[in-house]
Structures are given as structure tokens and as C-alpha cells.
Amino acid sequence: MTYDVIVIGGGSAGLMASIAASMDGAKVLLVDKGDKLGRKLGISGGGRCNVTNNKDMDELIKHIPGNGRFLYSALTHFSNKDIIDFFENLGIRLKEEDNGRMFPVSDKAKTVVDALIGQVRRQGVEIRTNSPVKMVLYKDGSVQGVRLQSGETMNSKAVIIASGGCSVPHTGSTGDGYAWAEAGGHTITQLFPTEVPLTSKEAFIRSRELQGLSLRDVTLSVWNAKGKSIISHRGDMPFESLTCISA
Ligand SMILES: Cc1cc2nc3c(=O)[nH]c(=O)nc-3n(C[C@H](O)[C@H](O)[C@H](O)COP(=O)(O)OP(=O)(O)OC[C@H]3O[C@@H](n4cnc5c(N)ncnc54)[C@H](O)[C@@H]3O)c2cc1C
């Protein structure tokens, strides 16, 4: 079977890529190894999905760790305001919370997942779940298609790798895409997690007495060993699911 575009991975990136690729009538195939699309999206934002932020672009970029300016070009084409319009056009009402964070009024990430899958289907994208991709096929410097673990091969003029990173692997993302991208000539930089739980041996953390507490408009500062504040962040601070460390 030959397609104009094959999208590997039906998470948030793959669903959006499928919608964009099929907008002008291209024949698009979306393949995912899991039995369900958008699994990580479904648990995002504490199950409520923080879809974007309503602040100005400069303010957003200021908060990207490292050199956020590389995002100017992408955000000029499709900005946070476009994301808000996009979801509202799909019938999802959004609300703004602290620091410009935008959530669905339903407070359910499922609303977002269902809307994206619904749009993918309406635009005629062929969806294949339970279909793990084994490799992306290249020939003479061009992409040819993909081969599934079952041995089946699909041909395509373009392949979009949207198979996710390595976090929360039980949602399906096990980092398979890095090697495929590298084989296609992309550079893979050193990988590291950007969002990790704060762990502490403090007695008041271990006793879980803060669990369920939601602090409004507080400032959290990280101090170095010399007692100097390195960074501060102001906002709400919910203690949703504390895990005590044992050592
Ligand atoms: C607890 C938590 C809360 C979060 N909260 C937010 C939030 O509120 N707002 C926000 O913007 N972001 C949030 N994030 C981050 C956000 O969920 C991720 O950035 C986003 O899901 C990444 O999307 P993705 O499409 O790149 O990858 P994923 O969502 O991981 O999707 C990758 C897909 O590729 C498929 N796949 C992998 N390998 C293969 C293969 N070999 N063959 C076929 N298919 C394959 C997987 O099955 C999966 O469906 C949160 C993340 C977590 C873990």
C-alpha cells in the first residue's frame, strides 16, 4: 500500500501531524503500536491537560529552559493563540488559570484526546493501532516507507516520526524514534528529562502531611549550598501525589 504521508505514533504530536498532513487531501496513514491513541495526553496535566498558555510569545520563550529563541520560527507559524483557536474550533471550551495556563472547561484531558481523534477520523486518515513499527525504510538518501514488526511494509513519500521520547514508557513511548531519525541523517543530542519529581528526605515530606494541600500564588526558590537563591518561580503549588523516598 502506498501513502502520501505515514505518521508513526498517535500521541499529541502524531495526532496533530495527521490533521495537518491530511488537511489538503493527502492520503495519510497513522500507525501506533498501542491499542489506544493519545494515552500520555490522557494523563497529562493531572488528567486535565494543560493545553497551552495564554501569555505573549516573548513571555513564553523566556520560560523555555536553555535557548528558547529557536522556537520563534515554529511559533510564528503556529502560536499558542492558534492552539487556542484550533481547540475552540473543535468545540472545546477553554478556561485560563494561574500564570496563563489554559485547560478545557470540562477539566478532562479525555475531552482533548477525543476531539483530536475525532478530527483525524473526519479528515479521512487511516488509523492502524496494535501495529508496532520496526524500522523506517530509506533508499538512496530518501525515505521509502516503514516496516512493521509483523514484517508488513507500507510505502510513502514522507514519514513523520512522532513516536515520543522515553518518559512514562507504559503509555507506549520507548524512544524507538531516535535511531530512525539518526538513520535519516538527523543529529540526536544528549537526552535528559526536563520535568522530574522533587524528592526529599525531610520528615514533613516523608510523613505525607502536605498531600492534598494546594498553595495559591506562592514563590518557590532553589538555594545553593552557600545560601544563595539560584532560581525562583511564582505560581500555584499543589501537592497532588507525594511519594516518599525510602533511602
Ligand atoms: C504526567 C504527565 C503530565 C503532563 N502534563 C502535560 C500538560 O499538562 N501539558 C502539556 O503540554 N504537556 C504535558 N505533558 C507532556 C506531554 O504529555 C508530552 O509532551 C506529549 O504527550 C508528547 O507527545 P508525543 O506525541 O511526542 O509523544 P507520546 O504522547 O508519548 O506518543 C508517542 C506515541 O508513539 C507510539 N509509538 C512509540 N513507538 C512506536 C513504534 N515503534 N511503533 C508505533 N508506534 C509507536 C506510542 O504508542 C505513543 O502512542 C505531561 C506528561 C506527563 C508524563
Side-chain angles (χ1 to χ4, degrees):
M1 187 68 96
T2 300
Y3 297 88
D4 294 317
V5 181
I6 295 177
V7 179
I8 309 174
S12 28
L15 290 167
M16 285 298 281
S18 301
I19 292 170
S22 59
M23 218 165 249
D24 293 321
K27 190 174 173 192
V28 179
L29 170 71
L30 170 60
V31 269
D32 198 289
K33 71 175 171 192
D35 57 352
K36 245 168 76 177
L37 303 178
R39 285 189 67 192
K40 192 179 289 168
L41 189 58
I43 60 165
S44 67
R48 300 197 302 136
C49 189
N50 175 197
V51 290
T52 189
N53 192 289
N54 203 15
K55 293 208 167 154
D56 289 339
M57 203 188 291
D58 285 336
E59 190 63 20
L60 288 187
I61 285 179
K62 212 169 84 186
H63 287 93
I64 304 290
N67 176 20
R69 280 175 302 165
F70 82 97
L71 280 173
Y72 265 117
S73 158
L75 288 175
T76 306
H77 284 93
F78 196 75
S79 70
N80 50 330
K81 308 288 176 189
D82 293 323
I83 292 176
I84 293 171
D85 289 346
F86 173 81
F87 281 116
E88 293 195 333
N89 286 333
L90 287 186
I92 300 183
R93 285 176 48 232
L94 300 176
K95 59 175 174 171
E96 184 171 341
E97 296 193 2
D98 63 299
N99 289 312
R101 295 186 307 151
M102 301 296 291
F103 289 90
V105 168
S106 66
D107 277 333
K108 288 191 174 72
K110 189 174 181 309
T111 316
V112 177
V113 176
D114 290 348
L116 287 174
I117 296 175
Q119 189 62 15
V120 165
R121 290 193 198 285
R122 273 191 296 281
Q123 288 186 197
V125 173
E126 186 179 327
I127 300 173
R128 293 211 23 194
T129 48
N130 297 309
S131 304
V133 170
K134 186 175 180 200
M135 63 196 294
V136 176
L137 305 170
Y138 300 100
K139 195 177 168 198
D140 301 331
S142 297
V143 73
Q144 302 288 302
V146 303
R147 178 164 302 135
L148 301 185
Q149 264 173 26
S150 63
E152 192 181 345
T153 295
M154 289 100 154
N155 301 315
S156 175
K157 294 176 232 159
V159 171
I160 298 175
I161 300 173
S163 48
C166 297
S167 71
V168 203
H170 70 81
T171 60
S173 53
T174 42
D176 303 5
Y178 297 117
W180 305 329
E182 199 162 30
H186 292 280
T187 303
I188 308 299
T189 56
Q190 192 195 347
L191 304 171
F192 55 89
T194 58
E195 226 177 65
V196 291
L198 277 175
T199 57
S200 171
K201 292 179 184 172
E202 295 286 345
F204 74 101
I205 295 291
R206 295 172 71 111
S207 65
R208 299 182 182 218
E209 63 197 71
L210 296 183
Q211 194 159 346
L213 177 70
S214 190
L215 302 176
R216 293 267 162 209
D217 199 22
V218 294
T219 301
L220 174 74
S221 300
V222 176
W223 301 73
N224 68 14
K226 292 180 183 157
K228 189 176 167 230
S229 168
I230 308 166
I231 192 165
S232 291
H233 183 75
R234 188 169 164 178
D236 293 349
M237 193 175 174
F239 292 81
E240 282 168 351
S241 52
L242 291 180
T243 309
C244 288
I245 52 169
S246 51

